[in-house]
Amino acid sequence: NAEYMGVVTMRFPRPAFLARAFTTKPAEFVKIVEVGPRDGLQNEKSFVPTDTKVKLIDMLAATGLPVVEATSFVSKKWVPQMADAHEVMQKINRSNSTIFPVLTPNMVGYRAAIAAGARDVAVFASATESFALNNTGKGIAENQVLHREVLRNALQDGVRVRGYVSCVLGCPYEGAVAPEQVLRATEALLEMGCYEVSLGDTIGIGNPVSTERMLRTLTATVPPTQLAAHFHNTYGTALANLVIALQCGVRTVDSSVAGLGGCPYARGATGNVATEDVVFMLHGMGFTTSVNLDALVDCGKFITESLKVPNRSNAASAILRKREVQI
């Protein structure tokens, strides 16, 4: 038996399939990309005050998170929650080593992001034509033209670009998505110059079998070091899917503090897997993350109390209950 975060846990022999999957180096590092301030808040109906966003970002960076996605330079008409993107970037504390990427769908957003001081940006694609049309008003091919222009300018400016692919395990308009569709979208972004592509289960419909099928198809040609797992937890399968991603060699995970979020163009989709749950699980499995879990729980408590919404993290809820008992 062992004690972790004050909880006594039973130690059992590792199952054979896990032994095969995780025989790499001890205490292997998993990079956490915190997307709460952008992906988590974008779906909130009431405008979140700029100072609240800034405080959340600063608190998250102070936990040791290596990457905190700060905001999105998109149309204020379509995503009014991100209307204060410039002010947020001007106010956040950048004195530590945390990277603060921002979403820039086109050159208008890219120029605004650079003017605000961003040095890391992201573009987003879709595995399906229908979601692309509903999300951006443009099809896959038209979006690729915009992405190429952003990448061309970013590479000239020395700005790093991350790529996102939405609907990798299912689409709200087309249903099941073939792994080959995801592969095409991923390879296109990498060929343009993205250093990494985040694979988003936008509606949280995936399960371990569909996750493995998709990732095995991709990793046959794409190194897993260039991929990130971005699982929404709509049906409660995000952590199970994440274990499969780890088995497939993925070592970058997107998550949202307190499980905040959703997607304006995917009705019914809930937030990303909670960062607290991811960190708790990874540490228990023997991975390292650089993240202080107790400080992370404080971040989730702050933002959920500020928004007056439930905390969707099971790990955070358990830790907060334990704190109350100790008091």
Side-chain angles (χ1 to χ4, degrees):
N1 294 359
E3 185 170 310
Y4 178 64
M5 292 299 297
V7 179
V8 176
T9 59
M10 299 291 290
R11 296 285 189 184
F12 295 99
R14 179 174 286 181
F17 79 95
L18 287 181
R20 288 196 300 271
F22 298 124
T23 51
T24 50
K25 55 186 177 181
E28 192 170 356
F29 181 76
V30 174
K31 180 177 74 174
I32 305 291
V33 177
E34 171 59 53
V35 299
R38 196 278 302 176
D39 202 12
L41 296 182
Q42 69 177 1
N43 215 32
E44 288 297 316
K45 291 180 177 142
S46 299
F47 186 77
V48 180
T50 301
D51 287 345
T52 300
K53 294 173 183 171
V54 171
K55 182 175 180 180
L56 174 63
I57 293 168
D58 287 346
M59 288 179 70
L60 289 166
T63 69
L65 281 160
V67 184
V68 177
E69 192 176 55
T71 187
S72 179
F73 287 83
V74 294
S75 168
K76 299 174 185 179
K77 175 184 176 183
W78 298 113
V79 190
Q81 190 63 251
M82 300 288 111
D84 58 353
H86 183 93
E87 191 176 358
V88 166
M89 289 300 291
Q90 292 291 301
K91 286 186 171 184
I92 59 175
N93 179 8
R94 302 196 212 183
S95 61
N96 59 28
S97 60
T98 302
I99 296 169
F100 301 100
V102 299
L103 207 61
T104 57
N106 50 41
M107 279 305 298
V108 174
Y110 176 77
R111 292 191 185 101
I114 298 305
R119 299 303 299 166
D120 287 79
V121 302
V123 295
F124 54 91
S126 171
T128 68
E129 187 76 7
S130 298
F131 190 81
L133 288 167
N134 281 275
N135 193 23
T136 67
K138 297 178 177 61
I140 291 174
E142 290 177 280
N143 276 305
Q144 286 180 345
V145 172
L146 300 176
H147 298 158
R148 285 193 184 93
E149 189 177 10
V150 171
L151 266 295
R152 186 170 59 251
N153 282 270
L155 293 174
Q156 291 174 353
D157 296 338
V159 173
R160 297 200 324 156
V161 185
R162 189 184 204 228
Y164 283 94
V165 177
S166 300
C167 300
V168 300
L169 294 172
C171 173
Y173 309 103
E174 298 183 19
V177 176
E180 291 74 18
Q181 292 174 256
V182 183
L183 178 61
R184 284 195 296 272
T186 300
E187 288 183 327
L189 289 169
L190 291 172
E191 287 167 6
M192 290 177 203
C194 289
Y195 68 88
E196 177 178 275
V197 175
S198 175
L199 305 170
D201 182 13
T202 310
I203 57 175
I205 197 70
N207 59 62
V209 172
S210 62
T211 299
E212 182 174 27
R213 186 184 304 121
M214 182 267 294
L215 285 173
R216 293 299 181 196
T217 298
L218 266 65
T219 55
T221 56
V222 177
T225 52
Q226 290 186 291
L227 302 174
H230 184 115
F231 298 132
H232 285 241
N233 201 37
T234 309
Y235 295 95
T237 57
L239 286 177
N241 297 341
L242 177 54
V243 171
I244 297 298
L246 293 167
Q247 286 180 284
C248 292
V250 175
R251 292 295 181 268
T252 299
V253 178
D254 295 2
S255 57
S256 178
V257 64
L260 294 173
C263 177
Y265 302 98
R267 289 185 181 179
T270 57
N272 287 322
V273 62
T275 309
E276 300 95 321
D277 295 352
V278 171
V279 171
F280 181 86
M281 184 183 80
L282 289 173
H283 289 179
M285 292 172 73
F287 291 97
T288 62
T289 65
S290 77
V291 181
N292 182 310
L293 181 55
D294 270 324
L296 185 62
V297 169
D298 292 336
C299 297
K301 185 173 185 291
F302 162 73
I303 192 59
T304 52
E305 288 180 352
S306 297
L307 300 178
K308 296 180 174 56
V309 298
N311 192 323
R312 294 196 185 110
S313 166
N314 290 319
S317 297
I319 291 168
L320 289 170
R321 283 195 301 271
K322 185 177 178 185
R323 286 181 185 177
E324 291 175 359
V325 172
Q326 289 175 337
I327 292 172

